[in-house]
Amino acid sequence: EAQVTQNPRYLITVTGKKLTVTCSQNMNHEYMSWYRQDPGLGLRQIYYSMNVEVTDKGDVPEGYKVSRKEKRNFPLILESPSPNQTSLYFCASSLAANQPQHFGDGTRLSIL
Amino acid sequence: EDQVTQSPEALRLQEGESSSLNCSYTVSGLRGLFWYRQDPGKGPEFLFTLYSAGEEKEKERLKATLTKKESFLHITAPKPEDSATYLCAVQAQDNDMRFGAGTRLTVKP
């Protein structure tokens, strides 16, 4: 089954404790992206990757890092999480940049 | 600055009552406009892609249209199962993807 898998689905942690949210897709997609979704603000793009080893900042990249060492994986790293990064995070992938995206089921992060 | 604005924020319809959702945008060089449906607790699910003004796409009770400044999602004779949040997203030439805040649709039986 074609899917985008995010882990963990839920995480409660504390300020400053490094964390990684993994994202994996099994569709051989070139393009992958991370978003955060906050009430009233909609989905905002954090980082995206056009292909392996190519990443670009979206609208809200501050406080986040990504890497794309293999086509299928695109982890999101919070080196020193802060409470304003409490949010619902989605990973997505598509065949190419201007193609429809497949989304994961989301990761709800709470940073105390 | 590139912007995507959806209206209304919320829409309540009776079953069978047709209506339209609006997505207005300003971007530098449109690469594509996307409509998604999002159910509570789930990731967005793809509905349509439109690439150029004048283009229309249709699927069951939904029809999406595109002009140079806005897109409409027309819902004909909606059913309660059409209740969801509908998201519009625009990709510009810089490859950034920008989403509107969404329209929350409720269809009452």
Side-chain angles (χ1 to χ4, degrees):
Chain A
E1 182 191 347
Q3 57 186 6
V4 177
T5 304
Q6 297 179 224
N7 279 298
R9 293 290 316 281
Y10 305 90
L11 179 63
I12 301 174
T13 187
V14 295
T15 299
K17 186 177 180 182
K18 180 179 178 179
L19 67 91
T20 299
V21 184
T22 63
C23 174
S24 180
Q25 50 94 4
N26 64 358
M27 295 166 279
N28 202 36
H29 283 171
E30 300 283 342
Y31 183 94
M32 296 187 75
S33 184
W34 275 103
Y35 300 89
R36 60 178 288 172
Q37 188 171 37
D38 301 290
L41 296 177
L43 281 155
R44 292 180 292 167
Q45 193 173 43
I46 303 170
Y47 271 95
Y48 61 93
S49 169
M50 300 283 282
N51 208 331
V52 176
E53 301 293 357
V54 179
T55 62
D56 270 300
K57 296 178 181 178
D59 280 340
V60 288
E62 295 78 20
Y64 304 95
K65 284 177 58 176
V66 293
S67 69
R68 186 94 182 273
K69 294 187 172 65
E70 326 163 80
K71 186 182 267 193
R72 65 181 293 130
N73 296 322
F74 191 44
L76 179 69
I77 303 156
L78 284 70
E79 294 267 4
S80 184
S82 61
N84 64 11
Q85 292 177 298
T86 292
S87 187
L88 179 58
Y89 291 84
F90 287 101
C91 180
S93 73
S94 60
L95 277 170
N98 66 343
Q99 297 296 309
Q101 293 184 43
H102 295 249
F103 283 80
D105 284 334
T107 295
R108 188 167 290 282
L109 281 182
S110 294
I111 299 163
L112 307 176
Chain B
E1 185 182 314
D2 296 345
Q3 273 197 322
V4 181
T5 304
Q6 290 188 247
S7 61
E9 284 185 24
L11 182 62
R12 294 170 67 93
L13 299 173
Q14 286 297 127
E15 184 171 1
E17 180 187 1
S18 301
S19 188
S20 296
L21 282 54
N22 177 263
C23 172
S24 63
Y25 64 91
T26 53
V27 291
S28 307
L30 179 71
R31 291 200 68 192
L33 185 141
F34 304 85
W35 282 98
Y36 291 88
R37 168 193 172 125
Q38 187 174 23
D39 293 299
K42 298 280 190 181
E45 180 184 330
F46 170 71
L47 293 173
F48 302 109
T49 308
L50 302 165
Y51 292 106
S52 56
E55 194 174 355
E56 298 183 354
K57 295 268 179 79
E58 209 165 338
K59 178 180 170 182
E60 295 180 356
R61 295 178 293 282
L62 299 177
K63 180 179 175 180
T65 62
L66 180 65
T67 72
K68 288 187 178 178
K69 293 184 179 180
E70 58 190 350
S71 176
F72 289 94
L73 185 65
H74 306 278
I75 303 177
T76 303
K79 299 182 178 182
E81 53 262 41
D82 294 322
S83 297
T85 296
Y86 291 85
L87 304 173
C88 169
V90 166
Q91 187 167 47
Q93 281 190 336
D94 60 4
N95 290 318
D96 286 3
M97 187 74 77
R98 288 183 178 83
F99 278 79
T103 293
R104 189 172 64 255
L105 174 67
T106 305
V107 182
K108 293 289 190 182

